[in-house]
Amino acid sequence: MAITEQRHSTAVLVIGTGGAGLRASIELAEAGIDVLAVGKRPKEDTHTSLAAGGINAALATMDPEDSWQQHAADTLKESYLLADPRTAQIVTQGAALGIDDLERYGMAFAREEDGRISQRFFGAHKFRRTAFVGDYTGLEIQRTLIRRANQLGIPLLDSLYITRLLVHDGAVFGAYGFDPASGRRHLIHADAVILAAGGHTRIWRRTSSRRDENTGDSFRLAVEAGARLRDPELVQFHPSGIIEPENAAGTLVSEAARGEGGILRNAIGERFMNRYDPVRMELSTRDRVALASYTEIKEGRGTPKGGVWLDVSHLPRQTIMNRLPRVYQTLLELQMLDITREPIEIAPTAHYSMGGVWVRPEDHSTDVRGLYAIGEASSGLHGANRLGGNSLIELLVFGRITGQAAAAYSQGLTAQVRSASATALAREEVDALLKADGPENVRALQRAIRNTMTEHAGVVRNEAGLRAGLEELELIEKRMEEVGVHPDIAGFQDLAHAFDLKSAALAARATLEAALERRETRGCHNRSDYPSMDPALQVNLVWSPTAGITHESIPPIPPEISSLMEEVTTEGKLVE
């Protein structure tokens, strides 16, 4: 049977239709550059749309003394000194323009009575610099960017699964993929490619990502093209993911539940945070609360289902309905649970990839000529702990900058050299999986990876566990050689899951190996066998399957920023 293959040609291909991918696409289209944006899930339902709290910029609308330098200082301090100071400076300096762009596209931020954009406190920020729209800021950003992309006539193919980047002689020349509904193949020729396909948090059993997103696609596509990963072991675990139902395990209970006065208790009814942070209690940092809950569960004081209780039922019903409407609705829909009367069973959940593809700070270019990575796919801004509200502004700042860089790269090419053998390899990879008829089930192997990562590379790690995790992963990788892939009347989803599995395995290996190498406790990375920070490990760990792990030094922090890096008061604030 002849393969039906649709061919496309564009100046810049953007992979991922979340906030980062859309912002880059808009920048290109506004500059008159030919762009095609593709994604594997509906553009209205990308991961960006789940971001609730807000977006950071030192606009100084509420606190006139705020500045980009202070925003950078807070970001670098909270990163446990692993963030790249140049990246932090670019994002914080460019943040106000990012907000201006959203306003220009018609986004309606919450405002004060005199018309100023409202800004609220997020934890570990010295000043109020988080702009917002209710508790659905990310969703409103996504809608705004989709509206602008439609106005510009940007082609958005949001049911196209990219299987491989096409590379010749160290330069990208396009990508290969298929439609998971019809199985139709797509060959895309492009001068430059911007990778904006998210992180790798789906490789844990409980995650705030949905079922088939953040499976490490960006990591695999970049690495197979010749790029490297930076700090894949640095993953933020959110303290409050629900446990049931299984298909929604890890869905977040907003941090606002603790901010409004929610209390954490273990299975024997103890309010346990006084053991871990007696001053801030439930208003402690994400990493501290996640570690506290994890410890209670591990030491046998958790619920029979492996969680702890978050209770808001003592709050006035009106407070819950007005301040926590999404939490109330979510629990009612998923568990038929009335949070005004009963506590919520929660456990730590994998939430955000702070590491990612290695990129240069100035334009987010990678080791592969013409290939860029942005958003959660990339690395450099967050270090070992992400400042709440920084992820959304990062999308806008680097979406704009990288769009400009990819445009300049495309326009500077005198010719685009393609490779028939690289294209043939991409075709053969899909053919081989479609012919795979082994006994191993793709979904079962995905679950095995999630179990391994949860057991051995979760909130707390140690040498023995990480080595056991690598041994288990090796067995899973062997079993992957015997998978069966079976497209059916519903489409080619099984083929998509098989590629998700390949991505998950690569992301898991990078994470385990880097976590083994980082023999210290720093931020989100807790090593029970190395409980202190090691000054010698104030470096980025850069991973590739061929070279293993190298230590990369971090540039010095400019004095105008380092002089502002003081302890930020947390009184009355929820620390994100």
Side-chain angles (χ1 to χ4, degrees):
M1 185 183 78
I3 298 167
T4 58
E5 190 173 85
Q6 187 169 345
R7 300 195 173 201
H8 312 261
S9 191
T10 185
V12 182
L13 169 66
V14 177
I15 301 171
T17 53
L22 288 176
R23 181 62 190 86
S25 302
I26 289 165
E27 190 66 24
L28 288 153
E30 287 186 341
I33 305 294
D34 195 23
V35 58
L36 170 65
V38 305
K40 72 174 185 179
R41 63 182 303 128
K43 58 185 176 291
E44 295 83 8
D45 190 35
T46 59
H47 197 63
T48 301
S49 64
L50 296 186
I55 178 168
N56 297 338
L59 303 177
T61 60
M62 310 297 281
D63 296 312
E65 57 272 57
D66 199 9
S67 64
W68 71 260
Q69 291 94 334
Q70 185 65 59
H71 185 184
D74 294 350
T75 298
L76 291 164
K77 187 169 192 319
E78 194 67 12
S79 80
Y80 291 77
L81 302 179
L82 292 190
D84 187 302
R86 298 163 300 184
T87 304
Q89 180 168 342
I90 289 167
V91 170
T92 53
Q93 267 189 301
L97 179 55
I99 300 292
D100 287 347
D101 287 340
L102 287 177
E103 286 196 281
R104 179 163 60 87
Y105 305 150
M107 182 157 157
F109 284 101
R111 292 181 183 272
E112 298 296 297
E113 285 183 7
D114 61 5
R116 287 173 295 150
I117 289 179
S118 293
Q119 294 197 281
R120 58 187 173 199
F121 271 123
F122 256 27
H125 292 265
K126 185 166 184 183
F127 299 111
R128 289 171 287 180
R129 65 169 71 100
T130 304
F132 59 94
V133 182
D135 63 352
Y136 52 91
T137 310
L139 179 60
E140 196 53 39
I141 288 173
Q142 185 69 12
R143 286 171 175 164
T144 300
L145 294 175
I146 289 171
R147 197 164 57 239
R148 182 61 182 146
N150 288 339
Q151 286 171 354
L152 292 165
I154 296 170
L156 297 170
L157 302 180
D158 57 0
S159 61
L160 206 164
Y161 193 112
I162 297 297
T163 59
R164 185 170 281 264
L165 298 179
L166 302 175
V167 176
H168 175 67
D169 196 22
V172 73
F173 69 90
Y176 196 77
F178 68 96
D179 182 328
S182 65
R184 186 175 202 187
R185 310 282 187 89
H186 290 259
L187 171 60
I188 306 164
H189 288 131
D191 296 337
V193 174
I194 298 174
L195 197 49
H200 71 315
T201 50
R202 188 67 229 177
I203 68 172
W204 280 268
R205 196 162 56 225
R206 289 195 194 103
T207 168
S208 55
S209 298
R210 274 82 56 90
R211 192 165 178 178
D212 296 308
E213 69 182 9
N214 287 331
T215 44
D217 306 18
S218 300
F219 291 16
R220 180 181 62 82
L221 289 170
V223 165
E224 288 181 352
R228 297 170 294 159
L229 303 180
R230 177 164 47 199
D231 296 334
E233 79 285 6
L234 299 179
V235 175
Q236 186 173 66
F237 285 82
H238 194 289
S240 48
I242 65 170
I243 292 174
E244 292 183 314
E246 193 182 339
N247 66 354
T251 299
L252 290 191
V253 175
S254 168
E255 214 120 30
R258 288 187 287 119
E260 293 297 332
I263 289 170
L264 289 166
R265 288 196 175 91
N266 60 23
I268 51 180
E270 294 174 319
R271 189 175 177 185
F272 58 81
M273 278 309 298
N274 56 16
R275 273 200 278 276
Y276 304 92
D277 193 339
V279 176
R280 294 181 290 192
M281 297 290 282
E282 283 85 6
L283 295 182
S284 188
T285 56
R286 271 184 190 172
D287 52 344
R288 188 79 62 90
V289 179
L291 180 59
S293 299
Y294 174 88
T295 305
E296 291 295 307
I297 295 161
K298 214 64 174 166
E299 291 183 357
R301 295 183 295 278
T303 63
K305 290 174 184 159
V308 295
W309 298 109
L310 170 60
D311 193 2
V312 295
S313 65
H314 58 283
L315 300 175
R317 182 180 173 85
Q318 207 49 45
T319 299
I320 291 171
M321 304 311 281
N322 289 341
R323 306 298 289 261
L324 303 170
R326 283 178 83 173
V327 177
Y328 177 81
Q329 195 63 37
T330 299
L331 271 299
L332 207 55
E333 286 174 6
L334 291 175
Q335 296 181 2
M336 286 299 289
L337 181 79
D338 181 354
I339 65 169
T340 67
R341 296 171 180 272
E342 296 176 75
I344 311 159
E345 198 172 4
I346 59 164
T349 182
H351 179 54
Y352 191 89
S353 303
M354 291 179 291
V357 179
W358 182 93
V359 290
R360 296 176 183 88
E362 58 277 4
D363 61 1
H364 274 217
S365 57
T366 69
D367 301 298
V368 182
R369 294 194 309 283
L371 177 63
Y372 304 81
I374 52 175
E376 202 173 349
S378 66
S379 61
L381 179 62
H382 308 295
N385 199 40
R386 177 172 69 85
L387 203 58
N390 267 3
S391 53
L392 289 176
I393 196 63
E394 179 188 17
L395 310 181
L396 295 164
V397 173
F398 276 112
R400 174 173 52 80
I401 289 170
T402 303
Q404 292 168 359
Y409 175 83
S410 169
Q411 290 172 313
L413 288 180
T414 50
Q416 187 203 64
V417 181
R418 301 172 185 171
S419 160
S421 61
T423 307
L425 180 67
R427 281 194 193 106
E428 285 159 17
E429 184 179 38
V430 179
D431 291 341
L433 273 176
L434 283 173
K435 286 178 193 151
D437 196 24
E440 292 287 356
N441 179 280
V442 168
R443 282 300 207 196
L445 291 172
Q446 283 181 325
R447 195 157 48 245
I449 288 176
R450 291 201 292 270
N451 287 340
T452 292
M453 295 304 290
T454 301
E455 192 59 38
H456 301 299
V459 176
V460 178
R461 300 144 179 199
N462 62 46
E463 188 103 5
L466 292 165
R467 291 197 182 280
L470 282 164
E471 284 175 21
E472 285 180 22
L473 182 62
E474 211 161 304
L475 295 174
I476 293 166
E477 288 166 338
K478 282 255 182 294
R479 290 171 62 194
M480 283 168 61
E481 295 168 12
E482 299 292 321
V483 295
V485 175
H486 308 291
D488 56 26
I489 196 164
F492 287 70
Q493 296 298 337
D494 211 34
L495 180 61
H497 300 329
F499 277 103
D500 284 349
L501 174 63
K502 285 165 77 106
S503 298
L506 180 139
R509 177 162 289 285
T511 303
L512 288 164
E513 289 181 2
L516 194 57
E517 180 77 4
R518 190 171 287 286
R519 292 177 173 87
E520 65 165 353
T521 289
R522 186 185 292 264
C524 65
H525 179 72
N526 295 289
R527 283 287 297 259
S528 58
D529 46 350
Y530 294 95
S532 304
M533 262 199 291
D534 181 351
L537 283 167
Q538 192 198 315
V539 295
N540 296 130
L541 301 182
V542 182
W543 181 93
S544 83
T546 46
I549 292 172
T550 56
H551 291 207
E552 184 176 72
S553 60
I554 297 165
I557 299 170
E560 62 178 320
I561 295 172
S562 61
S563 64
L564 300 172
M565 289 172 63
E566 58 200 57
E567 279 296 334
V568 174
T569 175
T570 56
E571 196 176 338
K573 297 182 205 171
L574 184 68
V575 183
E576 300 242 349

